[in-house]
mmCIF file of all heavy atoms in Angstrom:
data_model
loop_
_atom_site.group_PDB
_atom_site.id
_atom_site.type_symbol
_atom_site.label_atom_id
_atom_site.label_comp_id
_atom_site.label_asym_id
_atom_site.label_seq_id
_atom_site.Cartn_x
_atom_site.Cartn_y
_atom_site.Cartn_z
ATOM 1 N N PHE A 409 87.351 95.910 127.142
ATOM 2 C CA PHE A 409 87.480 95.777 125.684
ATOM 3 C C PHE A 409 86.741 94.546 125.166
ATOM 4 O O PHE A 409 86.521 94.423 123.964
ATOM 5 C CB PHE A 409 88.962 95.713 125.279
ATOM 6 C CG PHE A 409 89.700 97.020 125.489
ATOM 7 C CD1 PHE A 409 90.976 97.037 126.024
ATOM 8 C CD2 PHE A 409 89.114 98.226 125.129
ATOM 9 C CE1 PHE A 409 91.659 98.240 126.202
ATOM 10 C CE2 PHE A 409 89.786 99.432 125.299
ATOM 11 C CZ PHE A 409 91.069 99.441 125.843
ATOM 12 N N ASN A 410 86.389 93.670 126.075
ATOM 13 C CA ASN A 410 85.710 92.449 125.634
ATOM 14 C C ASN A 410 84.172 92.571 125.680
ATOM 15 O O ASN A 410 83.472 91.648 125.305
ATOM 16 C CB ASN A 410 86.167 91.264 126.506
ATOM 17 C CG ASN A 410 85.921 89.944 125.815
ATOM 18 O OD1 ASN A 410 86.132 89.844 124.603
ATOM 19 N ND2 ASN A 410 85.436 88.969 126.552
ATOM 20 N N ILE A 411 83.674 93.715 126.148
ATOM 21 C CA ILE A 411 82.227 93.867 126.259
ATOM 22 C C ILE A 411 81.578 93.696 124.878
ATOM 23 O O ILE A 411 81.984 94.345 123.909
ATOM 24 C CB ILE A 411 81.838 95.268 126.824
ATOM 25 C CG1 ILE A 411 82.411 95.449 128.227
ATOM 26 C CG2 ILE A 411 80.321 95.443 126.825
ATOM 27 C CD1 ILE A 411 82.149 96.830 128.804
ATOM 28 N N ASP A 412 80.597 92.809 124.832
ATOM 29 C CA ASP A 412 79.864 92.554 123.584
ATOM 30 C C ASP A 412 80.774 92.274 122.403
ATOM 31 O O ASP A 412 80.516 92.717 121.282
ATOM 32 C CB ASP A 412 78.976 93.757 123.222
ATOM 33 C CG ASP A 412 77.810 93.904 124.193
ATOM 34 O OD1 ASP A 412 77.542 92.946 124.945
ATOM 35 O OD2 ASP A 412 77.208 94.975 124.196
ATOM 36 N N LYS A 413 81.830 91.593 122.617
ATOM 37 C CA LYS A 413 82.789 91.315 121.538
ATOM 38 C C LYS A 413 82.428 90.030 120.819
ATOM 39 O O LYS A 413 82.548 89.949 119.609
ATOM 40 C CB LYS A 413 84.169 91.091 122.153
ATOM 41 C CG LYS A 413 85.147 92.213 122.076
ATOM 42 C CD LYS A 413 85.955 92.303 120.824
ATOM 43 C CE LYS A 413 86.653 93.626 120.761
ATOM 44 N NZ LYS A 413 86.442 94.335 119.540
ATOM 45 N N GLU A 414 82.067 89.033 121.635
ATOM 46 C CA GLU A 414 82.041 87.695 121.069
ATOM 47 C C GLU A 414 80.761 87.391 120.291
ATOM 48 O O GLU A 414 80.708 86.436 119.546
ATOM 49 C CB GLU A 414 82.264 86.649 122.176
ATOM 50 C CG GLU A 414 83.526 86.876 123.021
ATOM 51 C CD GLU A 414 84.807 86.674 122.230
ATOM 52 O OE1 GLU A 414 84.766 86.125 121.128
ATOM 53 O OE2 GLU A 414 85.889 87.118 122.731
ATOM 54 N N GLY A 415 79.755 88.212 120.435
ATOM 55 C CA GLY A 415 78.496 87.931 119.741
ATOM 56 C C GLY A 415 78.603 88.170 118.238
ATOM 57 O O GLY A 415 79.664 88.544 117.744
ATOM 58 N N PRO A 416 77.496 87.927 117.533
ATOM 59 C CA PRO A 416 77.522 88.102 116.077
ATOM 60 C C PRO A 416 77.642 89.582 115.665
ATOM 61 O O PRO A 416 78.060 89.899 114.574
ATOM 62 C CB PRO A 416 76.197 87.511 115.618
ATOM 63 C CG PRO A 416 75.334 87.459 116.847
ATOM 64 C CD PRO A 416 76.225 87.425 118.036
ATOM 65 N N LYS A 417 77.200 90.469 116.549
ATOM 66 C CA LYS A 417 77.268 91.899 116.223
ATOM 67 C C LYS A 417 78.091 92.640 117.260
ATOM 68 O O LYS A 417 77.551 93.274 118.171
ATOM 69 C CB LYS A 417 75.860 92.492 116.194
ATOM 70 C CG LYS A 417 75.097 92.207 114.934
ATOM 71 C CD LYS A 417 74.116 93.319 114.639
ATOM 72 C CE LYS A 417 73.711 93.281 113.199
ATOM 73 N NZ LYS A 417 72.339 93.515 112.944
ATOM 74 N N PRO A 418 79.401 92.539 117.160
ATOM 75 C CA PRO A 418 80.236 93.183 118.171
ATOM 76 C C PRO A 418 80.030 94.703 118.218
ATOM 77 O O PRO A 418 79.697 95.320 117.203
ATOM 78 C CB PRO A 418 81.651 92.834 117.744
ATOM 79 C CG PRO A 418 81.572 92.282 116.386
ATOM 80 C CD PRO A 418 80.183 91.870 116.120
ATOM 81 N N ARG A 419 80.198 95.275 119.410
ATOM 82 C CA ARG A 419 80.048 96.733 119.563
ATOM 83 C C ARG A 419 81.034 97.487 118.697
ATOM 84 O O ARG A 419 82.173 97.080 118.567
ATOM 85 C CB ARG A 419 80.308 97.129 121.025
ATOM 86 C CG ARG A 419 79.256 96.743 122.003
ATOM 87 C CD ARG A 419 79.607 97.296 123.378
ATOM 88 N NE ARG A 419 79.452 98.758 123.405
ATOM 89 C CZ ARG A 419 78.302 99.374 123.633
ATOM 90 N NH1 ARG A 419 77.213 98.685 123.852
ATOM 91 N NH2 ARG A 419 78.252 100.684 123.650
ATOM 92 N N LYS A 420 80.577 98.611 118.196
ATOM 93 C CA LYS A 420 81.481 99.444 117.369
ATOM 94 C C LYS A 420 81.692 100.767 118.075
ATOM 95 O O LYS A 420 81.198 101.803 117.678
ATOM 96 C CB LYS A 420 80.838 99.688 116.013
ATOM 97 C CG LYS A 420 80.689 98.423 115.201
ATOM 98 C CD LYS A 420 80.112 98.725 113.850
ATOM 99 C CE LYS A 420 79.880 97.427 113.087
ATOM 100 N NZ LYS A 420 79.232 97.657 111.802
ATOM 101 N N ASP A 421 82.439 100.711 119.178
ATOM 102 C CA ASP A 421 82.624 101.911 119.981
ATOM 103 C C ASP A 421 83.722 102.826 119.461
ATOM 104 O O ASP A 421 83.634 104.030 119.605
ATOM 105 C CB ASP A 421 82.993 101.521 121.423
ATOM 106 C CG ASP A 421 81.756 101.086 122.193
ATOM 107 O OD1 ASP A 421 80.684 101.627 121.912
ATOM 108 O OD2 ASP A 421 81.892 100.210 123.062
ATOM 109 N N PHE A 422 84.770 102.229 118.914
ATOM 110 C CA PHE A 422 85.953 103.043 118.631
ATOM 111 C C PHE A 422 86.299 103.062 117.133
ATOM 112 O O PHE A 422 86.378 102.005 116.506
ATOM 113 C CB PHE A 422 87.192 102.505 119.360
ATOM 114 C CG PHE A 422 86.919 102.023 120.759
ATOM 115 C CD1 PHE A 422 87.245 100.730 121.123
ATOM 116 C CD2 PHE A 422 86.361 102.880 121.710
ATOM 117 C CE1 PHE A 422 87.006 100.279 122.429
ATOM 118 C CE2 PHE A 422 86.119 102.444 123.005
ATOM 119 C CZ PHE A 422 86.441 101.135 123.365
ATOM 120 N N ALA A 423 86.531 104.270 116.639
ATOM 121 C CA ALA A 423 87.060 104.402 115.273
ATOM 122 C C ALA A 423 88.583 104.591 115.354
ATOM 123 O O ALA A 423 89.300 104.259 114.428
ATOM 124 C CB ALA A 423 86.435 105.587 114.559
ATOM 125 N N LYS A 424 89.015 105.164 116.474
ATOM 126 C CA LYS A 424 90.446 105.400 116.647
ATOM 127 C C LYS A 424 90.748 105.391 118.131
ATOM 128 O O LYS A 424 89.840 105.578 118.959
ATOM 129 C CB LYS A 424 90.839 106.726 115.999
ATOM 130 C CG LYS A 424 89.966 107.897 116.426
ATOM 131 C CD LYS A 424 90.276 109.118 115.571
ATOM 132 C CE LYS A 424 89.562 110.357 116.074
ATOM 133 N NZ LYS A 424 88.076 110.230 116.072
ATOM 134 N N TRP A 425 91.997 105.215 118.478
ATOM 135 C CA TRP A 425 92.345 105.039 119.882
ATOM 136 C C TRP A 425 92.056 106.297 120.718
ATOM 137 O O TRP A 425 91.811 106.220 121.911
ATOM 138 C CB TRP A 425 93.795 104.572 120.046
ATOM 139 C CG TRP A 425 94.053 103.330 119.264
ATOM 140 C CD1 TRP A 425 95.084 103.106 118.397
ATOM 141 C CD2 TRP A 425 93.267 102.108 119.271
ATOM 142 N NE1 TRP A 425 94.981 101.830 117.856
ATOM 143 C CE2 TRP A 425 93.893 101.218 118.366
ATOM 144 C CE3 TRP A 425 92.114 101.694 119.917
ATOM 145 C CZ2 TRP A 425 93.406 99.920 118.109
ATOM 146 C CZ3 TRP A 425 91.614 100.407 119.665
ATOM 147 C CH2 TRP A 425 92.242 99.555 118.786
ATOM 148 N N GLU A 426 92.061 107.435 120.081
ATOM 149 C CA GLU A 426 91.722 108.638 120.787
ATOM 150 C C GLU A 426 90.291 108.606 121.347
ATOM 151 O O GLU A 426 89.971 109.277 122.321
ATOM 152 C CB GLU A 426 91.846 109.817 119.792
ATOM 153 C CG GLU A 426 92.000 111.174 120.392
ATOM 154 C CD GLU A 426 92.074 112.230 119.271
ATOM 155 O OE1 GLU A 426 91.093 112.386 118.516
ATOM 156 O OE2 GLU A 426 93.129 112.873 119.175
ATOM 157 N N ASP A 427 89.422 107.826 120.730
ATOM 158 C CA ASP A 427 88.014 107.718 121.165
ATOM 159 C C ASP A 427 87.874 106.908 122.453
ATOM 160 O O ASP A 427 86.838 106.960 123.119
ATOM 161 C CB ASP A 427 87.156 107.011 120.117
ATOM 162 C CG ASP A 427 87.151 107.726 118.769
ATOM 163 O OD1 ASP A 427 87.522 108.920 118.755
ATOM 164 O OD2 ASP A 427 86.785 107.085 117.763
ATOM 165 N N VAL A 428 88.856 106.113 122.775
ATOM 166 C CA VAL A 428 88.711 105.133 123.859
ATOM 167 C C VAL A 428 88.466 105.828 125.197
ATOM 168 O O VAL A 428 87.539 105.484 125.935
ATOM 169 C CB VAL A 428 89.942 104.203 123.948
ATOM 170 C CG1 VAL A 428 89.911 103.350 125.192
ATOM 171 C CG2 VAL A 428 90.015 103.331 122.695
ATOM 172 N N ARG A 429 89.260 106.839 125.484
ATOM 173 C CA ARG A 429 89.167 107.511 126.782
ATOM 174 C C ARG A 429 87.705 107.921 127.093
ATOM 175 O O ARG A 429 87.167 107.579 128.140
ATOM 176 C CB ARG A 429 90.072 108.751 126.803
ATOM 177 C CG ARG A 429 89.909 109.595 128.040
ATOM 178 C CD ARG A 429 90.685 110.892 127.910
ATOM 179 N NE ARG A 429 92.023 110.806 128.443
ATOM 180 C CZ ARG A 429 92.355 111.161 129.696
ATOM 181 N NH1 ARG A 429 91.431 111.606 130.532
ATOM 182 N NH2 ARG A 429 93.592 111.052 130.113
ATOM 183 N N GLY A 430 87.093 108.617 126.192
ATOM 184 C CA GLY A 430 85.724 109.117 126.403
ATOM 185 C C GLY A 430 84.691 108.020 126.576
ATOM 186 O O GLY A 430 83.632 108.250 127.115
ATOM 187 N N LYS A 431 85.036 106.821 126.107
ATOM 188 C CA LYS A 431 84.079 105.723 126.187
ATOM 189 C C LYS A 431 84.289 104.840 127.418
ATOM 190 O O LYS A 431 83.391 104.115 127.825
ATOM 191 C CB LYS A 431 84.191 104.821 124.944
ATOM 192 C CG LYS A 431 83.890 105.521 123.646
ATOM 193 C CD LYS A 431 82.431 105.420 123.301
ATOM 194 C CE LYS A 431 82.189 106.081 121.952
ATOM 195 N NZ LYS A 431 80.766 106.166 121.647
ATOM 196 N N ILE A 432 85.474 104.857 127.973
ATOM 197 C CA ILE A 432 85.722 103.912 129.092
ATOM 198 C C ILE A 432 86.201 104.602 130.358
ATOM 199 O O ILE A 432 86.448 103.937 131.368
ATOM 200 C CB ILE A 432 86.706 102.796 128.685
ATOM 201 C CG1 ILE A 432 88.162 103.319 128.622
ATOM 202 C CG2 ILE A 432 86.331 102.145 127.368
ATOM 203 C CD1 ILE A 432 89.195 102.204 128.578
ATOM 204 N N ASP A 433 86.354 105.900 130.321
ATOM 205 C CA ASP A 433 86.963 106.599 131.465
ATOM 206 C C ASP A 433 86.235 106.360 132.801
ATOM 207 O O ASP A 433 86.841 106.297 133.851
ATOM 208 C CB ASP A 433 87.112 108.112 131.181
ATOM 209 C CG ASP A 433 85.809 108.746 130.714
ATOM 210 O OD1 ASP A 433 84.808 108.022 130.592
ATOM 211 O OD2 ASP A 433 85.832 109.974 130.457
ATOM 212 N N TYR A 434 84.908 106.193 132.737
ATOM 213 C CA TYR A 434 84.159 106.083 133.990
ATOM 214 C C TYR A 434 84.473 104.824 134.785
ATOM 215 O O TYR A 434 84.157 104.720 135.961
ATOM 216 C CB TYR A 434 82.644 106.180 133.728
ATOM 217 C CG TYR A 434 82.096 105.120 132.800
ATOM 218 C CD1 TYR A 434 81.754 103.850 133.279
ATOM 219 C CD2 TYR A 434 81.933 105.377 131.441
ATOM 220 C CE1 TYR A 434 81.258 102.896 132.428
ATOM 221 C CE2 TYR A 434 81.439 104.418 130.581
ATOM 222 C CZ TYR A 434 81.099 103.174 131.075
ATOM 223 O OH TYR A 434 80.612 102.219 130.237
ATOM 224 N N PHE A 435 85.096 103.839 134.118
ATOM 225 C CA PHE A 435 85.446 102.622 134.863
ATOM 226 C C PHE A 435 86.552 102.909 135.892
ATOM 227 O O PHE A 435 86.700 102.154 136.844
ATOM 228 C CB PHE A 435 85.958 101.546 133.905
ATOM 229 C CG PHE A 435 84.862 100.836 133.161
ATOM 230 C CD1 PHE A 435 84.537 101.174 131.866
ATOM 231 C CD2 PHE A 435 84.122 99.834 133.813
ATOM 232 C CE1 PHE A 435 83.523 100.520 131.198
ATOM 233 C CE2 PHE A 435 83.100 99.175 133.158
ATOM 234 C CZ PHE A 435 82.781 99.526 131.829
ATOM 235 N N PHE A 436 87.302 103.934 135.655
ATOM 236 C CA PHE A 436 88.456 104.207 136.519
ATOM 237 C C PHE A 436 88.121 105.249 137.579
ATOM 238 O O PHE A 436 87.808 106.388 137.243
ATOM 239 C CB PHE A 436 89.640 104.687 135.653
ATOM 240 C CG PHE A 436 90.030 103.672 134.607
ATOM 241 C CD1 PHE A 436 89.487 103.733 133.333
ATOM 242 C CD2 PHE A 436 90.890 102.626 134.919
ATOM 243 C CE1 PHE A 436 89.818 102.780 132.379
ATOM 244 C CE2 PHE A 436 91.222 101.675 133.968
ATOM 245 C CZ PHE A 436 90.683 101.756 132.689
ATOM 246 N N ASP A 437 88.185 104.852 138.844
ATOM 247 C CA ASP A 437 87.862 105.771 139.939
ATOM 248 C C ASP A 437 88.674 107.064 139.845
ATOM 249 O O ASP A 437 88.178 108.136 140.138
ATOM 250 C CB ASP A 437 88.152 105.111 141.295
ATOM 251 C CG ASP A 437 87.043 104.141 141.679
ATOM 252 O OD1 ASP A 437 85.943 104.248 141.080
ATOM 253 O OD2 ASP A 437 87.286 103.278 142.551
ATOM 254 N N GLU A 438 89.939 106.895 139.426
ATOM 255 C CA GLU A 438 90.816 108.071 139.371
ATOM 256 C C GLU A 438 90.226 109.158 138.494
ATOM 257 O O GLU A 438 90.454 110.346 138.740
ATOM 258 C CB GLU A 438 92.202 107.675 138.816
ATOM 259 C CG GLU A 438 93.017 106.773 139.710
ATOM 260 C CD GLU A 438 92.670 105.282 139.537
ATOM 261 O OE1 GLU A 438 91.574 104.941 139.056
ATOM 262 O OE2 GLU A 438 93.522 104.432 139.925
ATOM 263 N N LEU A 439 89.522 108.771 137.441
ATOM 264 C CA LEU A 439 88.908 109.768 136.554
ATOM 265 C C LEU A 439 87.469 110.062 136.973
ATOM 266 O O LEU A 439 87.024 111.206 137.011
ATOM 267 C CB LEU A 439 88.918 109.273 135.097
ATOM 268 C CG LEU A 439 90.300 108.949 134.528
ATOM 269 C CD1 LEU A 439 90.189 108.332 133.126
ATOM 270 C CD2 LEU A 439 91.171 110.204 134.443
ATOM 271 N N PHE A 440 86.765 109.000 137.349
ATOM 272 C CA PHE A 440 85.346 109.136 137.685
ATOM 273 C C PHE A 440 85.149 110.027 138.905
ATOM 274 O O PHE A 440 84.248 110.876 138.938
ATOM 275 C CB PHE A 440 84.767 107.742 137.935
ATOM 276 C CG PHE A 440 83.274 107.749 138.147
ATOM 277 C CD1 PHE A 440 82.406 107.884 137.064
ATOM 278 C CD2 PHE A 440 82.744 107.628 139.434
ATOM 279 C CE1 PHE A 440 81.030 107.887 137.255
ATOM 280 C CE2 PHE A 440 81.376 107.633 139.625
ATOM 281 C CZ PHE A 440 80.518 107.760 138.531
ATOM 282 N N ASN A 441 85.998 109.840 139.877
ATOM 283 C CA ASN A 441 85.812 110.590 141.139
ATOM 284 C C ASN A 441 86.070 112.085 140.997
ATOM 285 O O ASN A 441 85.722 112.843 141.874
ATOM 286 C CB ASN A 441 86.699 110.006 142.242
ATOM 287 C CG ASN A 441 86.215 108.625 142.645
ATOM 288 O OD1 ASN A 441 85.087 108.236 142.318
ATOM 289 N ND2 ASN A 441 87.074 107.853 143.312
#
Side-chain angles (χ1 to χ4, degrees):
F409 291 137
N410 202 40
I411 298 176
D412 291 345
K413 258 274 168 232
E414 307 292 346
K417 280 210 161 140
R419 288 185 71 84
K420 295 182 184 176
D421 282 327
F422 320 124
K424 51 189 187 300
W425 304 130
E426 200 181 63
D427 300 342
V428 170
R429 173 188 268 266
K431 298 270 183 187
I432 75 166
D433 51 359
Y434 59 84
F435 281 100
F436 301 93
D437 282 342
E438 293 85 339
L439 301 174
F440 186 77
N441 291 344

